[in-house]
Amino acid sequence: MTIQTPIPEGFMQDGQGRLVPVANVKTQDKLEDELVDRLCSSAIALSNSLKEFKKVALSEVFAFRELVLVEYNAKLGGKKGNMTLRTYDGRFELQIAIADRLVFGPQLQAAKALIDECLTRWSEGSNENLHAIVNDAFDVGKEGNIDTRRVLGLQSLKIEDLNWQKAMTAIKDAVRVDNTTTYIRFYRRDPVTGARTSILLDLAAIPVDLAEL
């Protein structure tokens, strides 16, 4: 935990950690500082509230699931699975989804070497689209990670070549579960049209008409 040094009265701290007399700070900068600090503090409080809401919601849903299991004298093995719950009239719905975050072990390097060997061997007359697909799959993204979906997608290519098949086996062996994330999503259904729409909890995804401000 970072311990923040108290700022003496009559001073403000700038981005380099320097103390600046309030009298030397532009009015516009002081207003901007107050505005951003106040809104970000509210956003932190809202984020904490959403976190607590998610914990309570998941706890209640899993408790309900346990109640159902007891009624049928059933036991759940392994991690919690996906499920969908609805109100009796179908107006509201919530979904629980379990998603594994996959990463690759060192076997992926062996797979890439085998694939490179195949591409070199097939270079004469081979389809350039295949080269693009492979290179794209192993391209490191903006976050420094390889796109798991694209790499795993190589396994769907029907290529009868011994080294290619070895590479696909290496990819399969390289897959590891890094962590598991539990998502809870909420929906409302229009009673007239039957259309289902998300109840948005992502601030960035909530539309706001600026004309109404």
Side-chain angles (χ1 to χ4, degrees), residues 54-66:
K54 181 177 180 180
K55 289 167 60 177
V56 170
L58 290 175
S59 177
E60 292 189 9
V61 169
F62 291 144
F64 171 74
R65 186 201 55 187
E66 292 300 323

Side-chain angles (χ1 to χ4, degrees), residues 79-99:
K79 64 185 180 182
K80 299 175 175 63
N82 300 345
M83 70 178 101
T84 299
L85 304 178
R86 297 186 181 92
T87 56
Y88 192 66
D89 61 5
R91 286 187 306 128
F92 297 113
E93 175 182 305
L94 68 84
Q95 292 182 355
I96 302 293
I98 310 296

